[in-house]
Amino acid sequence: MTHSDITPLAHQSQALLAAVRHDAPLVQCLTNFVSMNYAANAVLAIGASPAMVHAEEEAPEFARFAGAVVINIGTLSSPWLRSMLLTAQSAVESGTPWVLDPVAHHATAFRRDAIQRLLDLEPAIIRGNASEIIALAGGHSAGKGVDARDAVAQAEQSAHDIAARRRTVVAVTGEVDYVTDGTRAVRIAGGSPLMPRVTATGCALSAVVGAFAAVAKDDAYAAAVAALSCFGLAGERAAAHADGPGSFAWRFLDALAALDADCLTRESPLR
């Protein structure tokens, strides 16, 4: 992107961060057992309100008044899948934006079937690592379980193809993030090599993407860019003082909470 393209997008990201903190949107997370606590804390740190509501008996109803819904298939089971499908359908019917995190969707037949059924319910944003996105587009990835073994640059065409075909926004995260809606695209620098060494950092990002989607219902692309920009800056700041993954984990939450009024324009990570 050129400087003239990046500057308005950076200002938009800044405005969306202010909106999240002013509105404190309710973000419903149907996420995995491993990530629940850290994801909830990340949503709180950015200024939104997490609701870890996943039971089939109430999750679809909850989606009707949530600001956004985030569905993460990390610890998938048949009861969770039923609830996810019903909740995504409820979100679509209610006009609630929902975010899909296709964790290790290519690992087993159960997951491959589940992700196709969820994709058919039209997520506003898909957030995954490079290996997940390559596999989602039908390519051969080097991913192993939940771990990415492919570079983000290798997934850019796959992301573009999915976004254009599914009419959604795809955010690929890694060493340099990539976001596209099939027409527009941007790369986002920042972060830290310590991030993949902390369990649930990516899952927490998907939850934070939901917070931004809740305040940018008409522009999922801008929501994804703003969320990833915040994560990139917070990751850089936390890593500067961390001694390892343990201290990075809590420093990162502090850094998210401490993002100041003009950081996304003054220190824009957009490329």
Side-chain angles (χ1 to χ4, degrees):
M1 294 184 73
T2 66
H3 180 74
S4 61
D5 295 323
I6 287 174
T7 300
L9 192 53
H11 281 286
Q12 192 173 15
S13 295
Q14 189 64 57
L16 289 177
L17 174 59
V20 168
R21 291 187 166 161
H22 179 270
D23 297 349
L26 184 62
V27 184
Q28 180 184 2
C29 301
L30 288 77
T31 192
N32 63 75
F33 293 116
V34 178
S35 73
M36 281 187 187
N37 181 263
Y38 200 71
N41 281 330
V43 171
L44 286 169
I46 205 64
S49 177
M52 319 312 273
V53 177
H54 65 266
E56 180 180 345
E57 293 80 4
E58 63 172 347
E61 179 182 358
F62 202 93
R64 298 189 189 109
F65 57 83
V69 171
V70 179
I71 293 178
N72 175 308
I73 68 166
T75 51
L76 194 61
S77 67
S78 293
W80 275 58
L81 178 57
R82 287 196 301 270
S83 182
M84 289 172 177
L85 292 168
L86 290 170
T87 303
Q89 182 63 50
S90 179
V92 171
E93 291 171 354
S94 305
T96 304
W98 76 276
V99 178
L100 176 62
D101 189 333
V103 180
H105 68 88
H106 49 296
T108 66
F110 177 50
R111 288 175 178 273
R112 290 191 292 272
D113 175 70
I115 207 65
Q116 290 305 314
R117 295 170 71 185
L118 286 165
L119 283 170
D120 288 342
L121 293 172
E122 302 178 345
I125 302 169
I126 301 168
R127 201 293 309 169
N129 65 41
S131 296
E132 290 163 347
I133 298 304
I134 290 170
L136 203 62
H140 177 73
S141 86
K144 181 180 180 181
V146 300
D147 296 326
R149 298 294 179 91
D150 300 283
V152 171
Q154 294 175 281
E156 290 185 0
Q157 186 61 52
S158 296
H160 179 275
D161 293 346
I162 295 167
R165 184 172 69 250
R166 292 281 181 176
R167 292 183 296 178
T168 188
V169 171
V170 179
V172 191
T173 52
E175 62 282 1
V176 176
D177 302 335
Y178 181 77
V179 180
T180 182
D181 63 359
T183 301
R184 299 170 290 178
V186 66
R187 296 179 181 89
I188 304 171
S192 163
L194 287 171
M195 295 178 87
R197 297 178 62 193
V198 176
T199 298
T201 304
C203 301
L205 172 54
S206 295
V208 169
V209 169
F212 282 88
V215 298
K217 294 183 186 296
D218 297 326
D219 197 341
Y221 176 76
V225 170
L228 270 60
S229 296
C230 287
F231 249 63
L233 285 178
E236 276 190 343
R237 292 180 178 186
H241 303 286
D243 296 316
S247 60
F248 177 84
W250 65 262
R251 288 184 185 279
F252 177 70
L253 294 175
D254 283 354
L256 269 183
L259 291 175
D260 53 330
D262 61 351
C263 63
L264 294 179
T265 50
R266 188 181 66 247
E267 305 172 53
S268 176
L270 303 183
R271 300 291 182 268

